[in-house]
Amino acid sequence: MKPTPTYANKPTSDNPRDVEAWALAEASRRLIDAGRSPVNEEALCAALQLNQRLWTIFQAAMTEEDCGHPPEVRTNIAALSLLVDRETVARLVDLDVSKLETLISINRSVASGLTARPDAPVQGQPAPAPQAARPAMAPQMAPPVSAPDGQPPRQSLRISI
C-alpha cells in the first residue's frame, strides 16, 4: 500500500462543501505542478491517480442509498465523473501534459460552484431570500423551461464548467 500523500495545506472548514472544494483545488494544483516543464512522469501519474480517486469517491457517494441528492443530480454528477475517468485514463496512457486543461478546468469549476454561497450578496445587488441549505456537490437547478410541443416543463441542470 502506498503511503498517504502529504498536503501543502489543509481545509480550514469542516463543512463538506468546503472540504470537497479544497480537495478539487488540491487535485488541480497537483495536476498543474506535475505538468510544468520539465515534466516529472512519476509526479504526473501520482496527480492523475489522486484526481481519479477523488472522483471515484464522488461516484460512490452518488450510489449510496442515503444520498440526499435528487436522481437527476446524481445522474449528472455520475456522468461528469465518467468523463473525468475517461480523461484521466487517457492522460495516464499518453502522459500528454498539454491535454490536462480539461481535468483542471472541471475541478476548478466544480470547486468554484461548491464555494459559492447562495446567501452572499453580489456587490450592487440586493441579498437573495434565504433558502434551505443545499447538500454538498449539488448543482443549482435552473427554472423550468416549457417545451414547445406542449409537454410538461422540464428542469434543466446548470453546472458551471
Side-chain angles (χ1 to χ4, degrees):
M1 180 175 282
K2 293 182 182 178
T4 303
T6 58
Y7 297 100
N9 58 27
K10 295 188 179 172
T12 58
S13 168
D14 290 336
N15 179 317
R17 291 174 64 97
D18 293 339
V19 172
E20 290 168 350
W22 172 86
L24 287 163
E26 178 69 14
S28 294
R29 183 191 65 76
R30 288 177 182 225
L31 288 168
I32 291 167
D33 287 349
R36 290 195 174 123
S37 293
V39 175
N40 177 339
E41 289 184 2
E42 186 177 327
L44 178 58
C45 286
L48 287 163
Q49 289 168 349
L50 174 72
N51 195 60
Q52 188 171 35
R53 280 193 307 268
L54 176 61
W55 280 94
T56 299
I57 291 168
F58 294 152
Q59 286 174 344
M62 294 301 106
T63 64
E64 294 293 324
E65 287 182 24
D66 62 347
C67 177
H69 300 300
E72 62 273 6
V73 172
R74 293 167 75 162
T75 299
N76 283 301
I77 293 171
L80 186 57
S81 297
L82 291 174
L83 170 72
V84 170
D85 279 348
R86 282 192 302 270
E87 275 296 307
T88 301
V89 169
R91 296 304 66 83
L92 283 165
V93 170
D94 65 19
L95 297 177
D96 187 348
V97 296
S98 70
K99 297 178 182 176
L100 289 176
E101 189 54 38
T102 300
L103 293 170
I104 294 166
S105 178
I106 290 170
N107 286 358
R108 285 179 166 176
S109 295
V110 174
S112 175
L114 288 167
T115 57
R117 299 291 185 239
D119 56 341
V122 177
Q123 189 173 17
Q125 293 184 356
Q131 297 177 346
R134 291 184 302 161
M137 287 296 294
Q140 291 183 334
M141 298 300 286
V145 178
S146 297
D149 59 0
Q151 297 218 345
R154 295 178 50 202
Q155 293 258 340
S156 60
L157 184 63
R158 189 178 347 171
I159 299 178
S160 59
I161 296 180

